[in-house]
Amino acid sequence: MSHQDWNLTNKKIILGITGSISAYKAAILLRLLTKSGAEVQVIMTEAAKDFIGPITLSTLSNKPVLHSLTHDQQWSQHVQLGLWADLLVVAPASAHTMAKFANGLADNLLCAVYLSARCPVMIAPAMDVDMWNHPATQNNIRKLMEIGHTIIPVEEGPLASGLEGKGRLAEPETIFSAIGEFFQSASLLSKKKVLITAGPTFEPIDPVRFIGNHSSGKMGIRLAEAALMMGAEVQIVVGPVSEPIQKHPRLFIHRVTTASEMFEKVKSLDSEIDIYILAAAVADFKPEHSEKEKIKKEGKSNPTLNLVPTPDIAKHLGESKKNGQFLCGFALETEHILDNAKSKLHKKNMDMIVINSPKDDQSAFGFDTNKISILENSGKFVSFGLQTKREAAMVILKAIISSLRT
Ligand code: C5P
C-alpha cells in the first residue's frame, strides 16, 4: 500500500518532537498525518523549539502546540492527553529523551505524557553516529523495545555533523507508513478468540522435585501481546514462568503447573476459540507416582523413576478441531528438523507449525530473540533470520491471518 492510501480518520495521535536538526521532517510527517484524516496534538520539548517553529506546527495541526507542564498559569493535562491518544509517536527522538523514557524521568510535558500514556508508543530516533553506537543509547533502546515500544530504525548516511553513519531520522514517509500499518494491524484480529499455551510444565516427583525444561514462556507471552495489539481476545494458559505478563482488559491469564492441568484448562476454554497457538514446551512424560513425602537418599543406591506419557494437548485439539478453527503448533527440534516438523504437523492435524532450533545462536529457550521457520499444511515453507520474539510473534500472527484468508 502506498503512503497516500492510509486512512487515519478518527485516529488520535500525539506527535512528540525533540531537539534535532531533523525536526524539520516532523513538519512533513505532521502534514501526511493530518492529510490522511488523523487528529494530531503536537508536544515539543524546549530544545525542539530551537530547530522548528511552533507556529508552523500549530498551523499544520490546527491546534496549539503544547510544550510546558503548565500553560497560561494552568496545569497542562498530561494525564488526559495520555488517555486521549490512540498512539504516541516521537519523531525525532533524541538520545536524551530516550534515556529519560527508559528511566522514567518526567521533567517536561512530553516525558510526563509518555509516562501517563496507555496507548502504544512509536519512537523514531535521530542522533549522531557515535551517540547512536554508544552502549548507553543502545541499552536504552533495548529497554524501550522490551517495554513493547516500536523503534523505527534509523537510516544510514550523511549526518548533520558532517560524519557518515547510522543515526539519521527515518524519512517522514517511512514513519507515516509504520503508523498506517500499525493502525491497520490493530483490527486484523478483532472479534477473534485466540488461545495460547506458553512456558514449561513441571511434573512433580515429590513435594520438592519435578521434571521440567528451560522454556521461559517469552515466545508465548510475546504472541499474546501481539494478538492483543491486533484486537483479539486472548486466553493464555501458562506454565510456571518468571516472565511478567502485563494485564490487559482482553487478556485472560490461566496459570497451571503440570501438563494435565494445562490440558484440562485448555479443554475447558475450548468451545469458542478461533485460533490455537501452542507455544508451551509441554513435558511428554511424568513420573507415574508423585511421592507425598520428600524421597530420601538413604538406603537407595540406584533409584529408578517410572514415567508415563502426559496428555498431548496439540493432538487432542487436532482431532477435535471444528470447522474454521486454526491450530498452530511449535516444533523444537535438534535433528532432521524439517522432516520431524512435517510429520508432527500431519500427525497432530495442525494447520501450521513454527520451527525453531535450540542449536541456533540466540534462538529459542530463554532468549529474547528467535530464528524461526513456518511450515503450513499447504506445504508453504518460509524461513526468517534472527529477530526479536516480538517481531517473530507479529510474523507468526500475520502468517496465520493470511492463511485464514486463503
Ligand atoms: O511432539 P512435540 O512435543 O514436539 O510437539 C510440539 C507441539 O505440540 C508444541 O506446539 C507443543 O506445545 C504441543 N504439545 C502439546 N502437548 C503435549 C506435547 C506437545 O500441546 N503433551
Short mmCIF file of all heavy atoms in Angstrom, two decimals, residues 101-136:
data_model
loop_
_atom_site.label_atom_id
_atom_site.label_comp_id
_atom_site.label_asym_id
_atom_site.label_seq_id
_atom_site.Cartn_x
_atom_site.Cartn_y
_atom_site.Cartn_z
N PHE A 101 12.91 8.48 28.89
CA PHE A 101 11.82 7.50 28.78
C PHE A 101 12.24 6.18 29.43
O PHE A 101 11.50 5.58 30.21
CB PHE A 101 11.48 7.21 27.32
CG PHE A 101 10.70 8.28 26.59
CD1 PHE A 101 10.37 8.11 25.24
CD2 PHE A 101 10.28 9.44 27.23
CE1 PHE A 101 9.65 9.07 24.55
CE2 PHE A 101 9.56 10.41 26.55
CZ PHE A 101 9.24 10.22 25.20
N ALA A 102 13.44 5.73 29.09
CA ALA A 102 13.88 4.40 29.55
C ALA A 102 14.03 4.36 31.06
O ALA A 102 13.98 3.29 31.67
CB ALA A 102 15.20 4.02 28.87
N ASN A 103 14.22 5.54 31.67
CA ASN A 103 14.43 5.57 33.13
C ASN A 103 13.28 6.22 33.88
O ASN A 103 13.38 6.46 35.09
CB ASN A 103 15.75 6.29 33.43
CG ASN A 103 16.92 5.43 32.98
OD1 ASN A 103 17.23 4.43 33.62
ND2 ASN A 103 17.50 5.76 31.84
N GLY A 104 12.22 6.54 33.18
CA GLY A 104 11.02 7.05 33.86
C GLY A 104 11.14 8.46 34.39
O GLY A 104 10.47 8.81 35.37
N LEU A 105 11.99 9.30 33.78
CA LEU A 105 12.10 10.69 34.24
C LEU A 105 10.97 11.52 33.61
O LEU A 105 10.56 11.26 32.49
CB LEU A 105 13.45 11.29 33.85
CG LEU A 105 14.68 10.55 34.40
CD1 LEU A 105 15.96 11.30 34.04
CD2 LEU A 105 14.59 10.41 35.91
N ALA A 106 10.51 12.52 34.35
CA ALA A 106 9.36 13.29 33.86
C ALA A 106 9.54 14.77 34.14
O ALA A 106 8.74 15.39 34.82
CB ALA A 106 8.08 12.76 34.50
N ASP A 107 10.61 15.36 33.58
CA ASP A 107 10.87 16.77 33.86
C ASP A 107 10.36 17.71 32.77
O ASP A 107 10.67 18.88 32.74
CB ASP A 107 12.37 17.00 34.09
CG ASP A 107 13.18 16.69 32.83
OD1 ASP A 107 12.62 16.06 31.90
OD2 ASP A 107 14.36 17.07 32.77
N ASN A 108 9.59 17.18 31.82
CA ASN A 108 8.94 18.08 30.85
C ASN A 108 7.61 17.43 30.43
O ASN A 108 7.31 16.29 30.81
CB ASN A 108 9.85 18.38 29.64
CG ASN A 108 10.18 17.15 28.81
OD1 ASN A 108 9.45 16.16 28.81
ND2 ASN A 108 11.29 17.20 28.09
N LEU A 109 6.83 18.20 29.67
CA LEU A 109 5.48 17.71 29.34
C LEU A 109 5.53 16.40 28.53
O LEU A 109 4.76 15.47 28.81
CB LEU A 109 4.72 18.80 28.55
CG LEU A 109 3.29 18.41 28.16
CD1 LEU A 109 2.42 18.19 29.39
CD2 LEU A 109 2.67 19.44 27.24
N LEU A 110 6.44 16.34 27.56
CA LEU A 110 6.48 15.14 26.72
C LEU A 110 6.76 13.89 27.56
O LEU A 110 6.09 12.85 27.39
CB LEU A 110 7.55 15.30 25.62
CG LEU A 110 7.68 14.11 24.67
CD1 LEU A 110 6.37 13.82 23.94
CD2 LEU A 110 8.82 14.34 23.65
N CYS A 111 7.71 13.99 28.49
CA CYS A 111 8.03 12.83 29.33
C CYS A 111 6.86 12.49 30.26
O CYS A 111 6.58 11.30 30.49
CB CYS A 111 9.29 13.09 30.15
SG CYS A 111 10.76 13.16 29.13
N ALA A 112 6.19 13.50 30.79
CA ALA A 112 5.04 13.25 31.68
C ALA A 112 3.91 12.58 30.90
O ALA A 112 3.27 11.64 31.40
CB ALA A 112 4.57 14.55 32.31
N VAL A 113 3.69 13.03 29.67
CA VAL A 113 2.64 12.40 28.84
C VAL A 113 3.05 10.97 28.52
O VAL A 113 2.24 10.04 28.59
CB VAL A 113 2.40 13.22 27.54
CG1 VAL A 113 1.56 12.43 26.55
CG2 VAL A 113 1.74 14.54 27.87
N TYR A 114 4.34 10.78 28.19
CA TYR A 114 4.83 9.43 27.89
C TYR A 114 4.53 8.48 29.05
O TYR A 114 4.02 7.37 28.86
CB TYR A 114 6.34 9.47 27.59
CG TYR A 114 6.97 8.10 27.64
CD1 TYR A 114 6.79 7.19 26.61
CD2 TYR A 114 7.71 7.71 28.76
CE1 TYR A 114 7.34 5.92 26.68
CE2 TYR A 114 8.26 6.44 28.84
CZ TYR A 114 8.07 5.55 27.81
OH TYR A 114 8.60 4.28 27.88
N LEU A 115 4.81 8.95 30.28
CA LEU A 115 4.61 8.06 31.44
C LEU A 115 3.13 7.83 31.73
O LEU A 115 2.76 6.83 32.34
CB LEU A 115 5.29 8.64 32.69
CG LEU A 115 6.81 8.51 32.75
CD1 LEU A 115 7.33 9.10 34.05
CD2 LEU A 115 7.26 7.06 32.64
N SER A 116 2.29 8.78 31.31
CA SER A 116 0.84 8.65 31.59
C SER A 116 0.11 7.89 30.48
O SER A 116 -1.03 7.49 30.67
CB SER A 116 0.19 10.03 31.69
OG SER A 116 0.95 10.88 32.48
N ALA A 117 0.75 7.76 29.32
CA ALA A 117 0.04 7.22 28.16
C ALA A 117 -0.23 5.72 28.30
O ALA A 117 0.66 4.98 28.72
CB ALA A 117 0.85 7.48 26.89
N ARG A 118 -1.45 5.32 27.96
CA ARG A 118 -1.76 3.88 27.96
C ARG A 118 -1.72 3.31 26.55
O ARG A 118 -1.92 2.13 26.34
CB ARG A 118 -3.17 3.65 28.53
CG ARG A 118 -3.22 3.97 30.01
CD ARG A 118 -4.49 3.44 30.61
NE ARG A 118 -4.66 3.98 31.95
CZ ARG A 118 -5.80 3.96 32.61
NH1 ARG A 118 -6.87 3.42 32.06
NH2 ARG A 118 -5.88 4.46 33.81
N CYS A 119 -1.54 4.20 25.57
CA CYS A 119 -1.57 3.76 24.17
C CYS A 119 -0.18 3.24 23.75
O CYS A 119 0.81 3.49 24.44
CB CYS A 119 -1.97 4.93 23.28
SG CYS A 119 -0.81 6.29 23.37
N PRO A 120 -0.12 2.56 22.61
CA PRO A 120 1.18 2.13 22.10
C PRO A 120 2.08 3.34 21.78
O PRO A 120 1.59 4.44 21.54
CB PRO A 120 0.83 1.37 20.83
CG PRO A 120 -0.59 0.97 21.02
CD PRO A 120 -1.24 2.05 21.81
N VAL A 121 3.38 3.09 21.79
CA VAL A 121 4.36 4.16 21.59
C VAL A 121 5.31 3.77 20.45
O VAL A 121 5.77 2.64 20.37
CB VAL A 121 5.18 4.37 22.89
CG1 VAL A 121 6.28 5.41 22.68
CG2 VAL A 121 4.26 4.77 24.05
N MET A 122 5.53 4.75 19.56
CA MET A 122 6.47 4.55 18.45
C MET A 122 7.56 5.59 18.55
O MET A 122 7.25 6.77 18.76
CB MET A 122 5.73 4.79 17.14
CG MET A 122 5.54 3.59 16.33
SD MET A 122 4.68 4.05 14.83
CE MET A 122 3.81 2.56 14.62
N ILE A 123 8.78 5.16 18.43
CA ILE A 123 9.90 6.09 18.63
C ILE A 123 10.79 6.06 17.39
O ILE A 123 11.26 4.99 16.98
CB ILE A 123 10.70 5.69 19.88
CG1 ILE A 123 9.79 5.84 21.12
CG2 ILE A 123 11.95 6.53 20.03
CD1 ILE A 123 10.37 5.29 22.40
N ALA A 124 11.02 7.24 16.81
CA ALA A 124 11.92 7.33 15.66
C ALA A 124 13.16 8.12 16.09
O ALA A 124 13.13 9.35 16.14
CB ALA A 124 11.20 8.03 14.50
N PRO A 125 14.24 7.42 16.43
CA PRO A 125 15.42 8.11 16.95
C PRO A 125 16.16 8.91 15.87
O PRO A 125 16.07 8.59 14.68
CB PRO A 125 16.32 6.97 17.45
CG PRO A 125 15.49 5.73 17.36
CD PRO A 125 14.43 5.97 16.36
N ALA A 126 16.89 9.92 16.33
CA ALA A 126 17.76 10.70 15.44
C ALA A 126 18.92 11.23 16.26
O ALA A 126 18.70 11.85 17.30
CB ALA A 126 16.99 11.87 14.83
N MET A 127 20.12 10.95 15.82
CA MET A 127 21.30 11.47 16.54
C MET A 127 22.55 11.19 15.71
O MET A 127 22.47 10.55 14.65
CB MET A 127 21.42 10.82 17.92
CG MET A 127 21.77 9.36 17.93
SD MET A 127 21.29 8.55 19.45
CE MET A 127 19.51 8.56 19.34
N ASP A 128 23.68 11.65 16.24
CA ASP A 128 24.93 11.42 15.53
C ASP A 128 25.39 9.96 15.71
O ASP A 128 24.97 9.28 16.65
CB ASP A 128 25.99 12.38 16.04
CG ASP A 128 27.00 12.64 14.96
OD1 ASP A 128 26.65 13.34 14.00
OD2 ASP A 128 28.11 12.06 15.04
N VAL A 129 26.24 9.52 14.78
CA VAL A 129 26.60 8.10 14.73
C VAL A 129 27.20 7.58 16.04
O VAL A 129 26.88 6.48 16.49
CB VAL A 129 27.52 7.79 13.51
CG1 VAL A 129 28.81 8.60 13.54
CG2 VAL A 129 27.85 6.31 13.42
N ASP A 130 28.07 8.41 16.68
CA ASP A 130 28.72 7.90 17.90
C ASP A 130 27.75 7.86 19.07
O ASP A 130 27.84 6.97 19.93
CB ASP A 130 29.96 8.75 18.23
CG ASP A 130 31.01 8.59 17.14
OD1 ASP A 130 31.35 7.44 16.82
OD2 ASP A 130 31.43 9.61 16.57
N MET A 131 26.83 8.81 19.10
CA MET A 131 25.79 8.78 20.15
C MET A 131 24.92 7.55 19.95
O MET A 131 24.53 6.88 20.90
CB MET A 131 24.93 10.04 20.08
CG MET A 131 25.67 11.30 20.44
SD MET A 131 24.65 12.76 20.14
CE MET A 131 23.67 12.81 21.63
N TRP A 132 24.62 7.27 18.69
CA TRP A 132 23.79 6.10 18.38
C TRP A 132 24.47 4.79 18.80
O TRP A 132 23.87 3.91 19.39
CB TRP A 132 23.47 6.06 16.87
CG TRP A 132 22.78 4.79 16.46
CD1 TRP A 132 23.33 3.74 15.82
CD2 TRP A 132 21.41 4.44 16.72
NE1 TRP A 132 22.39 2.74 15.64
CE2 TRP A 132 21.20 3.15 16.19
CE3 TRP A 132 20.34 5.09 17.34
CZ2 TRP A 132 19.98 2.49 16.25
CZ3 TRP A 132 19.11 4.44 17.42
CH2 TRP A 132 18.94 3.15 16.87
N ASN A 133 25.78 4.72 18.50
CA ASN A 133 26.51 3.47 18.78
C ASN A 133 26.86 3.32 20.25
O ASN A 133 27.27 2.24 20.68
CB ASN A 133 27.82 3.43 17.97
CG ASN A 133 27.54 3.11 16.51
OD1 ASN A 133 26.54 2.48 16.19
ND2 ASN A 133 28.40 3.58 15.63
N HIS A 134 26.73 4.38 21.03
CA HIS A 134 27.16 4.31 22.43
C HIS A 134 26.36 3.24 23.18
O HIS A 134 25.14 3.14 23.03
CB HIS A 134 26.97 5.66 23.11
CG HIS A 134 27.76 5.77 24.39
ND1 HIS A 134 27.37 5.15 25.55
CD2 HIS A 134 28.95 6.36 24.65
CE1 HIS A 134 28.27 5.37 26.49
NE2 HIS A 134 29.25 6.11 25.97
N PRO A 135 27.05 2.43 24.01
CA PRO A 135 26.32 1.37 24.74
C PRO A 135 25.17 1.91 25.58
O PRO A 135 24.15 1.23 25.74
CB PRO A 135 27.40 0.75 25.64
CG PRO A 135 28.70 1.14 25.04
CD PRO A 135 28.51 2.39 24.25
N ALA A 136 25.31 3.14 26.10
CA ALA A 136 24.22 3.70 26.92
C ALA A 136 22.96 3.87 26.08
O ALA A 136 21.86 3.49 26.49
CB ALA A 136 24.65 5.03 27.52
#
